Amino acid sequence: MFDFGNHLKGLRLKNNITQKDLAKAIGISERGIQNYELNARKPTFDILIALARFFDVSIDYLVGETTNPTRR
């Protein structure tokens, strides 16, 4: 099973972004990011779009459907 939280955390760390800065950039609380990274909650469709845009990756990559991060 795909570990969304770990994947999100990896993207965030790879880009040297804090949870607080990511939360502010996409308009949610820092606790929201923490919950996603801990797999305590799953993001809504709107949040997935915001995360994909922020990291400039495809939603398929963000949710583990592909290993190619390129947006089409």
Side-chain angles (χ1 to χ4, degrees), residues 22-59:
L22 177 56
K24 185 176 180 179
I26 66 169
I28 66 170
S29 69
E30 184 177 355
R31 185 68 184 148
I33 297 297
Q34 292 168 354
N35 282 332
Y36 300 147
E37 289 187 2
L38 292 171
N39 291 308
R41 290 187 167 251
K42 300 213 183 299
T44 64
F45 186 68
D46 290 339
I47 297 298
L48 285 175
I49 292 170
L51 288 167
R53 286 181 179 159
F54 180 83
F55 288 114
D56 195 28
V57 298
S58 70
I59 291 176

mmCIF file of all heavy atoms in Angstrom, residues 22-59:
data_model
loop_
_atom_site.group_PDB
_atom_site.id
_atom_site.type_symbol
_atom_site.label_atom_id
_atom_site.label_comp_id
_atom_site.label_asym_id
_atom_site.label_seq_id
_atom_site.Cartn_x
_atom_site.Cartn_y
_atom_site.Cartn_z
ATOM 1 N N LEU A 22 4.816 25.198 4.070
ATOM 2 C CA LEU A 22 3.956 24.497 3.113
ATOM 3 C C LEU A 22 2.492 24.783 3.414
ATOM 4 O O LEU A 22 1.707 25.082 2.508
ATOM 5 C CB LEU A 22 4.232 22.993 3.146
ATOM 6 C CG LEU A 22 3.355 22.134 2.240
ATOM 7 C CD1 LEU A 22 3.428 22.578 0.778
ATOM 8 C CD2 LEU A 22 3.748 20.657 2.373
ATOM 9 N N ALA A 23 2.137 24.712 4.672
ATOM 10 C CA ALA A 23 0.757 24.976 5.073
ATOM 11 C C ALA A 23 0.328 26.376 4.655
ATOM 12 O O ALA A 23 -0.752 26.565 4.080
ATOM 13 C CB ALA A 23 0.612 24.798 6.576
ATOM 14 N N LYS A 24 1.183 27.340 4.924
ATOM 15 C CA LYS A 24 0.870 28.729 4.566
ATOM 16 C C LYS A 24 0.729 28.888 3.054
ATOM 17 O O LYS A 24 -0.182 29.571 2.576
ATOM 18 C CB LYS A 24 1.967 29.648 5.098
ATOM 19 C CG LYS A 24 1.684 31.105 4.898
ATOM 20 C CD LYS A 24 2.759 31.966 5.536
ATOM 21 C CE LYS A 24 2.447 33.438 5.331
ATOM 22 N NZ LYS A 24 3.460 34.294 5.952
ATOM 23 N N ALA A 25 1.602 28.234 2.304
ATOM 24 C CA ALA A 25 1.595 28.356 0.843
ATOM 25 C C ALA A 25 0.320 27.800 0.212
ATOM 26 O O ALA A 25 -0.144 28.314 -0.807
ATOM 27 C CB ALA A 25 2.815 27.659 0.248
ATOM 28 N N ILE A 26 -0.239 26.749 0.811
ATOM 29 C CA ILE A 26 -1.446 26.162 0.205
ATOM 30 C C ILE A 26 -2.719 26.521 0.965
ATOM 31 O O ILE A 26 -3.803 26.076 0.598
ATOM 32 C CB ILE A 26 -1.327 24.636 0.016
ATOM 33 C CG1 ILE A 26 -1.252 23.908 1.351
ATOM 34 C CG2 ILE A 26 -0.132 24.303 -0.876
ATOM 35 C CD1 ILE A 26 -1.401 22.403 1.202
ATOM 36 N N GLY A 27 -2.591 27.314 2.024
ATOM 37 C CA GLY A 27 -3.758 27.840 2.705
ATOM 38 C C GLY A 27 -4.436 26.909 3.691
ATOM 39 O O GLY A 27 -5.657 26.937 3.822
ATOM 40 N N ILE A 28 -3.638 26.088 4.377
ATOM 41 C CA ILE A 28 -4.202 25.229 5.413
ATOM 42 C C ILE A 28 -3.366 25.384 6.682
ATOM 43 O O ILE A 28 -2.375 26.105 6.690
ATOM 44 C CB ILE A 28 -4.273 23.744 4.991
ATOM 45 C CG1 ILE A 28 -2.883 23.145 4.799
ATOM 46 C CG2 ILE A 28 -5.117 23.581 3.734
ATOM 47 C CD1 ILE A 28 -2.878 21.637 4.608
ATOM 48 N N SER A 29 -3.756 24.689 7.738
ATOM 49 C CA SER A 29 -3.014 24.777 8.990
ATOM 50 C C SER A 29 -1.783 23.872 8.966
ATOM 51 O O SER A 29 -1.733 22.883 8.223
ATOM 52 C CB SER A 29 -3.902 24.379 10.166
ATOM 53 O OG SER A 29 -4.191 22.996 10.114
ATOM 54 N N GLU A 30 -0.825 24.221 9.797
ATOM 55 C CA GLU A 30 0.356 23.378 9.947
ATOM 56 C C GLU A 30 -0.055 21.996 10.451
ATOM 57 O O GLU A 30 0.501 20.977 10.039
ATOM 58 C CB GLU A 30 1.337 24.032 10.920
ATOM 59 C CG GLU A 30 2.633 23.285 11.081
ATOM 60 C CD GLU A 30 3.617 24.001 11.995
ATOM 61 O OE1 GLU A 30 3.342 25.136 12.436
ATOM 62 O OE2 GLU A 30 4.671 23.408 12.271
ATOM 63 N N ARG A 31 -1.041 21.950 11.335
ATOM 64 C CA ARG A 31 -1.547 20.676 11.853
ATOM 65 C C ARG A 31 -2.109 19.819 10.717
ATOM 66 O O ARG A 31 -2.005 18.590 10.750
ATOM 67 C CB ARG A 31 -2.605 20.931 12.929
ATOM 68 C CG ARG A 31 -3.083 19.683 13.594
ATOM 69 C CD ARG A 31 -1.968 19.073 14.441
ATOM 70 N NE ARG A 31 -2.419 17.820 14.996
ATOM 71 C CZ ARG A 31 -1.647 16.787 15.232
ATOM 72 N NH1 ARG A 31 -0.362 16.849 15.006
ATOM 73 N NH2 ARG A 31 -2.120 15.688 15.723
ATOM 74 N N GLY A 32 -2.689 20.467 9.721
ATOM 75 C CA GLY A 32 -3.190 19.732 8.557
ATOM 76 C C GLY A 32 -2.075 18.990 7.843
ATOM 77 O O GLY A 32 -2.212 17.808 7.512
ATOM 78 N N ILE A 33 -0.959 19.666 7.629
ATOM 79 C CA ILE A 33 0.201 19.023 6.994
ATOM 80 C C ILE A 33 0.700 17.883 7.870
ATOM 81 O O ILE A 33 1.005 16.788 7.383
ATOM 82 C CB ILE A 33 1.331 20.044 6.735
ATOM 83 C CG1 ILE A 33 0.877 21.132 5.754
ATOM 84 C CG2 ILE A 33 2.598 19.343 6.226
ATOM 85 C CD1 ILE A 33 0.520 20.645 4.366
ATOM 86 N N GLN A 34 0.778 18.127 9.172
ATOM 87 C CA GLN A 34 1.212 17.078 10.092
ATOM 88 C C GLN A 34 0.301 15.859 9.989
ATOM 89 O O GLN A 34 0.786 14.723 9.940
ATOM 90 C CB GLN A 34 1.226 17.605 11.528
ATOM 91 C CG GLN A 34 2.287 18.646 11.771
ATOM 92 C CD GLN A 34 2.104 19.371 13.101
ATOM 93 O OE1 GLN A 34 1.118 19.182 13.801
ATOM 94 N NE2 GLN A 34 3.061 20.221 13.435
ATOM 95 N N ASN A 35 -0.989 16.083 9.943
ATOM 96 C CA ASN A 35 -1.940 14.969 9.830
ATOM 97 C C ASN A 35 -1.752 14.189 8.530
ATOM 98 O O ASN A 35 -1.850 12.962 8.522
ATOM 99 C CB ASN A 35 -3.383 15.470 9.937
ATOM 100 C CG ASN A 35 -3.797 15.760 11.349
ATOM 101 O OD1 ASN A 35 -3.295 15.159 12.293
ATOM 102 N ND2 ASN A 35 -4.722 16.689 11.506
ATOM 103 N N TYR A 36 -1.487 14.880 7.438
ATOM 104 C CA TYR A 36 -1.247 14.187 6.165
ATOM 105 C C TYR A 36 0.037 13.369 6.238
ATOM 106 O O TYR A 36 0.075 12.225 5.785
ATOM 107 C CB TYR A 36 -1.164 15.171 4.995
ATOM 108 C CG TYR A 36 -2.412 15.986 4.786
ATOM 109 C CD1 TYR A 36 -2.354 17.280 4.311
ATOM 110 C CD2 TYR A 36 -3.678 15.460 5.054
ATOM 111 C CE1 TYR A 36 -3.487 18.037 4.112
ATOM 112 C CE2 TYR A 36 -4.818 16.217 4.858
ATOM 113 C CZ TYR A 36 -4.723 17.499 4.385
ATOM 114 O OH TYR A 36 -5.854 18.249 4.192
ATOM 115 N N GLU A 37 1.089 13.955 6.802
ATOM 116 C CA GLU A 37 2.364 13.248 6.874
ATOM 117 C C GLU A 37 2.311 12.057 7.829
ATOM 118 O O GLU A 37 3.049 11.089 7.641
ATOM 119 C CB GLU A 37 3.485 14.210 7.278
ATOM 120 C CG GLU A 37 3.832 15.183 6.168
ATOM 121 C CD GLU A 37 5.037 16.049 6.461
ATOM 122 O OE1 GLU A 37 5.667 15.900 7.529
ATOM 123 O OE2 GLU A 37 5.363 16.894 5.597
ATOM 124 N N LEU A 38 1.464 12.119 8.818
ATOM 125 C CA LEU A 38 1.299 10.998 9.750
ATOM 126 C C LEU A 38 0.253 9.991 9.274
ATOM 127 O O LEU A 38 -0.014 8.998 9.950
ATOM 128 C CB LEU A 38 0.892 11.539 11.137
ATOM 129 C CG LEU A 38 1.951 12.345 11.867
ATOM 130 C CD1 LEU A 38 1.355 13.007 13.102
ATOM 131 C CD2 LEU A 38 3.133 11.467 12.246
ATOM 132 N N ASN A 39 -0.329 10.251 8.122
ATOM 133 C CA ASN A 39 -1.412 9.426 7.569
ATOM 134 C C ASN A 39 -2.619 9.362 8.504
ATOM 135 O O ASN A 39 -3.387 8.409 8.474
ATOM 136 C CB ASN A 39 -0.927 8.016 7.224
ATOM 137 C CG ASN A 39 0.014 8.022 6.053
ATOM 138 O OD1 ASN A 39 -0.293 8.572 4.995
ATOM 139 N ND2 ASN A 39 1.183 7.439 6.223
ATOM 140 N N ALA A 40 -2.788 10.404 9.316
ATOM 141 C CA ALA A 40 -3.945 10.481 10.204
ATOM 142 C C ALA A 40 -5.171 10.972 9.442
ATOM 143 O O ALA A 40 -6.305 10.702 9.843
ATOM 144 C CB ALA A 40 -3.653 11.420 11.372
ATOM 145 N N ARG A 41 -4.940 11.696 8.352
ATOM 146 C CA ARG A 41 -6.010 12.200 7.486
ATOM 147 C C ARG A 41 -5.551 12.127 6.037
ATOM 148 O O ARG A 41 -4.366 12.165 5.758
ATOM 149 C CB ARG A 41 -6.360 13.649 7.810
ATOM 150 C CG ARG A 41 -7.043 13.823 9.125
ATOM 151 C CD ARG A 41 -7.503 15.267 9.273
ATOM 152 N NE ARG A 41 -8.415 15.341 10.376
ATOM 153 C CZ ARG A 41 -9.723 15.535 10.264
ATOM 154 N NH1 ARG A 41 -10.263 15.719 9.084
ATOM 155 N NH2 ARG A 41 -10.487 15.575 11.330
ATOM 156 N N LYS A 42 -6.517 12.076 5.150
ATOM 157 C CA LYS A 42 -6.228 12.102 3.721
ATOM 158 C C LYS A 42 -6.652 13.463 3.170
ATOM 159 O O LYS A 42 -7.677 14.001 3.579
ATOM 160 C CB LYS A 42 -6.985 10.991 3.024
ATOM 161 C CG LYS A 42 -6.613 9.614 3.550
ATOM 162 C CD LYS A 42 -6.692 8.595 2.456
ATOM 163 C CE LYS A 42 -6.408 7.200 2.927
ATOM 164 N NZ LYS A 42 -5.118 6.980 3.494
ATOM 165 N N PRO A 43 -5.864 14.018 2.268
ATOM 166 C CA PRO A 43 -6.205 15.336 1.723
ATOM 167 C C PRO A 43 -7.415 15.281 0.802
ATOM 168 O O PRO A 43 -7.682 14.270 0.152
ATOM 169 C CB PRO A 43 -4.953 15.729 0.941
ATOM 170 C CG PRO A 43 -4.280 14.447 0.610
ATOM 171 C CD PRO A 43 -4.614 13.499 1.723
ATOM 172 N N THR A 44 -8.134 16.396 0.763
ATOM 173 C CA THR A 44 -9.249 16.523 -0.174
ATOM 174 C C THR A 44 -8.695 16.704 -1.585
ATOM 175 O O THR A 44 -7.497 16.955 -1.772
ATOM 176 C CB THR A 44 -10.109 17.744 0.176
ATOM 177 O OG1 THR A 44 -9.314 18.926 0.003
ATOM 178 C CG2 THR A 44 -10.664 17.661 1.589
ATOM 179 N N PHE A 45 -9.566 16.631 -2.544
ATOM 180 C CA PHE A 45 -9.175 16.835 -3.939
ATOM 181 C C PHE A 45 -8.551 18.221 -4.120
ATOM 182 O O PHE A 45 -7.520 18.369 -4.772
ATOM 183 C CB PHE A 45 -10.392 16.652 -4.843
ATOM 184 C CG PHE A 45 -10.072 16.687 -6.301
ATOM 185 C CD1 PHE A 45 -9.327 15.679 -6.888
ATOM 186 C CD2 PHE A 45 -10.512 17.733 -7.094
ATOM 187 C CE1 PHE A 45 -9.027 15.708 -8.243
ATOM 188 C CE2 PHE A 45 -10.220 17.768 -8.449
ATOM 189 C CZ PHE A 45 -9.473 16.758 -9.027
ATOM 190 N N ASP A 46 -9.151 19.238 -3.514
ATOM 191 C CA ASP A 46 -8.615 20.599 -3.632
ATOM 192 C C ASP A 46 -7.210 20.708 -3.042
ATOM 193 O O ASP A 46 -6.357 21.403 -3.595
ATOM 194 C CB ASP A 46 -9.540 21.603 -2.942
ATOM 195 C CG ASP A 46 -10.856 21.789 -3.689
ATOM 196 O OD1 ASP A 46 -10.912 21.488 -4.895
ATOM 197 O OD2 ASP A 46 -11.826 22.228 -3.045
ATOM 198 N N ILE A 47 -6.970 20.031 -1.941
ATOM 199 C CA ILE A 47 -5.639 20.057 -1.323
ATOM 200 C C ILE A 47 -4.633 19.310 -2.200
ATOM 201 O O ILE A 47 -3.493 19.747 -2.362
ATOM 202 C CB ILE A 47 -5.667 19.475 0.104
ATOM 203 C CG1 ILE A 47 -6.560 20.313 1.012
ATOM 204 C CG2 ILE A 47 -4.256 19.356 0.674
ATOM 205 C CD1 ILE A 47 -6.122 21.751 1.193
ATOM 206 N N LEU A 48 -5.050 18.181 -2.786
ATOM 207 C CA LEU A 48 -4.158 17.457 -3.710
ATOM 208 C C LEU A 48 -3.743 18.347 -4.871
ATOM 209 O O LEU A 48 -2.573 18.366 -5.268
ATOM 210 C CB LEU A 48 -4.834 16.194 -4.241
ATOM 211 C CG LEU A 48 -4.928 15.025 -3.279
ATOM 212 C CD1 LEU A 48 -5.734 13.901 -3.916
ATOM 213 C CD2 LEU A 48 -3.554 14.531 -2.874
ATOM 214 N N ILE A 49 -4.694 19.082 -5.410
ATOM 215 C CA ILE A 49 -4.385 20.005 -6.515
ATOM 216 C C ILE A 49 -3.389 21.058 -6.048
ATOM 217 O O ILE A 49 -2.396 21.338 -6.729
ATOM 218 C CB ILE A 49 -5.662 20.653 -7.066
ATOM 219 C CG1 ILE A 49 -6.520 19.607 -7.775
ATOM 220 C CG2 ILE A 49 -5.325 21.809 -8.014
ATOM 221 C CD1 ILE A 49 -7.905 20.093 -8.148
ATOM 222 N N ALA A 50 -3.632 21.636 -4.878
ATOM 223 C CA ALA A 50 -2.732 22.671 -4.351
ATOM 224 C C ALA A 50 -1.330 22.123 -4.115
ATOM 225 O O ALA A 50 -0.333 22.785 -4.438
ATOM 226 C CB ALA A 50 -3.312 23.253 -3.059
ATOM 227 N N LEU A 51 -1.238 20.913 -3.571
ATOM 228 C CA LEU A 51 0.071 20.300 -3.338
ATOM 229 C C LEU A 51 0.792 20.007 -4.650
ATOM 230 O O LEU A 51 1.995 20.266 -4.784
ATOM 231 C CB LEU A 51 -0.083 19.016 -2.521
ATOM 232 C CG LEU A 51 -0.452 19.188 -1.056
ATOM 233 C CD1 LEU A 51 -0.876 17.850 -0.450
ATOM 234 C CD2 LEU A 51 0.705 19.789 -0.272
ATOM 235 N N ALA A 52 0.068 19.482 -5.621
ATOM 236 C CA ALA A 52 0.672 19.183 -6.923
ATOM 237 C C ALA A 52 1.183 20.452 -7.584
ATOM 238 O O ALA A 52 2.285 20.470 -8.144
ATOM 239 C CB ALA A 52 -0.333 18.469 -7.823
ATOM 240 N N ARG A 53 0.405 21.510 -7.516
ATOM 241 C CA ARG A 53 0.840 22.788 -8.096
ATOM 242 C C ARG A 53 2.048 23.339 -7.350
ATOM 243 O O ARG A 53 2.993 23.830 -7.967
ATOM 244 C CB ARG A 53 -0.300 23.795 -8.072
ATOM 245 C CG ARG A 53 -1.353 23.520 -9.101
ATOM 246 C CD ARG A 53 -2.456 24.541 -9.066
ATOM 247 N NE ARG A 53 -3.439 24.251 -10.102
ATOM 248 C CZ ARG A 53 -4.677 24.689 -10.082
ATOM 249 N NH1 ARG A 53 -5.105 25.442 -9.083
ATOM 250 N NH2 ARG A 53 -5.502 24.372 -11.064
ATOM 251 N N PHE A 54 2.003 23.275 -6.025
ATOM 252 C CA PHE A 54 3.106 23.803 -5.230
ATOM 253 C C PHE A 54 4.412 23.088 -5.563
ATOM 254 O O PHE A 54 5.443 23.729 -5.757
ATOM 255 C CB PHE A 54 2.804 23.673 -3.730
ATOM 256 C CG PHE A 54 3.904 24.202 -2.874
ATOM 257 C CD1 PHE A 54 3.998 25.553 -2.595
ATOM 258 C CD2 PHE A 54 4.877 23.348 -2.365
ATOM 259 C CE1 PHE A 54 5.042 26.048 -1.820
ATOM 260 C CE2 PHE A 54 5.922 23.829 -1.589
ATOM 261 C CZ PHE A 54 6.001 25.188 -1.312
ATOM 262 N N PHE A 55 4.383 21.768 -5.619
ATOM 263 C CA PHE A 55 5.598 20.997 -5.883
ATOM 264 C C PHE A 55 5.869 20.820 -7.380
ATOM 265 O O PHE A 55 6.882 20.234 -7.755
ATOM 266 C CB PHE A 55 5.518 19.629 -5.207
ATOM 267 C CG PHE A 55 5.641 19.694 -3.711
ATOM 268 C CD1 PHE A 55 4.580 19.346 -2.897
ATOM 269 C CD2 PHE A 55 6.818 20.103 -3.107
ATOM 270 C CE1 PHE A 55 4.687 19.398 -1.512
ATOM 271 C CE2 PHE A 55 6.940 20.164 -1.720
ATOM 272 C CZ PHE A 55 5.871 19.821 -0.927
ATOM 273 N N ASP A 56 4.960 21.306 -8.223
ATOM 274 C CA ASP A 56 5.069 21.187 -9.684
ATOM 275 C C ASP A 56 5.227 19.729 -10.109
ATOM 276 O O ASP A 56 6.139 19.372 -10.861
ATOM 277 C CB ASP A 56 6.221 22.036 -10.214
ATOM 278 C CG ASP A 56 6.137 22.225 -11.727
ATOM 279 O OD1 ASP A 56 5.015 22.198 -12.275
ATOM 280 O OD2 ASP A 56 7.196 22.386 -12.368
ATOM 281 N N VAL A 57 4.339 18.892 -9.582
ATOM 282 C CA VAL A 57 4.297 17.475 -9.937
ATOM 283 C C VAL A 57 2.866 17.120 -10.333
ATOM 284 O O VAL A 57 1.930 17.865 -10.051
ATOM 285 C CB VAL A 57 4.751 16.561 -8.760
ATOM 286 C CG1 VAL A 57 6.196 16.847 -8.389
ATOM 287 C CG2 VAL A 57 3.844 16.701 -7.557
ATOM 288 N N SER A 58 2.717 15.984 -10.974
ATOM 289 C CA SER A 58 1.376 15.535 -11.333
ATOM 290 C C SER A 58 0.673 14.967 -10.097
ATOM 291 O O SER A 58 1.321 14.515 -9.148
ATOM 292 C CB SER A 58 1.443 14.466 -12.422
ATOM 293 O OG SER A 58 1.987 13.264 -11.903
ATOM 294 N N ILE A 59 -0.635 14.979 -10.138
ATOM 295 C CA ILE A 59 -1.401 14.367 -9.049
ATOM 296 C C ILE A 59 -1.126 12.863 -9.028
ATOM 297 O O ILE A 59 -1.017 12.272 -7.948
ATOM 298 C CB ILE A 59 -2.901 14.674 -9.179
ATOM 299 C CG1 ILE A 59 -3.140 16.163 -8.900
ATOM 300 C CG2 ILE A 59 -3.719 13.822 -8.210
ATOM 301 C CD1 ILE A 59 -4.559 16.621 -9.076
#
